[in-house]
Amino acid sequence: MHAPDDPAAILEDIYRRLDAGVRDRESPLHTPSLGTIGLDGTPRQRIVVLRAFDAQEPCLRIHTDSRSAKVAELAADPRASLLFYDHGAAVQIRIEGRATVHGTDAIADAAWEASRRLSRICYGQQPGPGAALQAPGAFDLPETDEAIAAGRANFRAVLVRPLALEWLHLRHGAHRRLRLAFEPGARLPSTARWLAP
Ligand SMILES: Cc1cc2nc3c(=O)[nH]c(=O)nc-3n(C[C@H](O)[C@H](O)[C@H](O)COP(=O)(O)O)c2cc1C
């Protein structure tokens, strides 16, 4: 990959990779690490599936369970990060932004409607993610359609709106690092700065 030293082209490159990350389950960008701030201030990360990317806002969407620790963490502090690495292209993409958690609105309804049965099952798990178990397999997954549908109450769509995108491309002899910053609510970055890699 030979990206030109042009911030607009690099923004396009980032968006193209994020699009592929949503559509292609084999893409290295399909499963980023989501970072949140723990309730005690500890940085916390976990792998999630990238479900949607909207370049117009811009905004990324992931899905999670209301009972998981990350939901309480985002309620206390909406600052979030997403980390991607495209090994084949030697491109790292770091996103810092603000998350909103959606459970009962049209955003959550549409995300649930578009989910496959297999994806929906985990939201009916009892007890919820993170609960202490008496034995390794002492949890249940729903089996009937009714029980799977009841998992909707635990389903959350999380939107992350970037305030900064950082692109790092490792290329022998010509590493490049670009930081793009957004004003809250802005569609396009307000600044583009080259940084030492
Ligand atoms: C490949 C992979 C994909 C995952 N996708 C998701 C996901 O989309 N949403 C989610 O909440 N957890 C997902 N998980 C589980 C999380 O990594 C994490 O263990 C779980 O959400 C509990 O995190 P928390 O206690 O920090 O909230 C995934 C794990 C793996 C290994």
Side-chain angles (χ1 to χ4, degrees), residues 65-187:
D65 190 304
S66 61
R67 301 166 294 176
S68 69
K70 67 182 88 52
V71 170
E73 291 165 5
L74 290 171
D77 190 331
R79 287 178 291 176
S81 63
L82 285 161
L83 175 64
F84 301 84
Y85 180 51
D86 187 332
H87 180 263
V91 167
Q92 172 181 265
I93 297 170
R94 286 207 288 192
I95 297 180
E96 297 155 24
R98 294 283 184 279
T100 53
V101 179
H102 303 259
T104 54
D105 59 9
I107 290 171
D109 285 343
W112 176 262
E113 285 310 315
S115 299
R116 293 174 308 146
R117 180 186 160 95
L118 201 64
S119 304
R120 290 181 180 181
I121 285 175
C122 55
Y123 300 100
Q125 176 192 291
Q126 295 296 343
L133 301 177
Q134 296 298 327
F139 62 91
D140 293 315
L141 290 170
E143 283 168 12
T144 64
D145 286 348
E146 290 73 19
I148 293 169
R152 169 67 184 84
N154 301 320
F155 175 79
R156 296 292 180 273
V158 178
L159 301 185
V160 178
R161 293 187 173 84
L163 291 172
L165 301 177
E166 219 180 277
W167 181 91
L168 173 71
H169 182 208
L170 299 178
R171 193 171 12 148
H172 189 64
H175 298 343
R176 290 288 184 272
R177 180 172 168 193
L178 179 72
R179 187 173 173 88
L180 300 158
F182 292 74
E183 296 298 328
R187 203 171 76 74

Side-chain angles (χ1 to χ4, degrees), residues 31 44-49 51 62-65 68-71 73 123 129:
T31 46
R44 300 194 74 241
Q45 301 180 66
R46 75 287 289 158
I47 298 296
V48 291
V49 173
R51 299 289 179 180
I62 64 136
H63 296 167
T64 195
D65 190 304
S68 69
K70 67 182 88 52
V71 170
E73 291 165 5
Y123 300 100

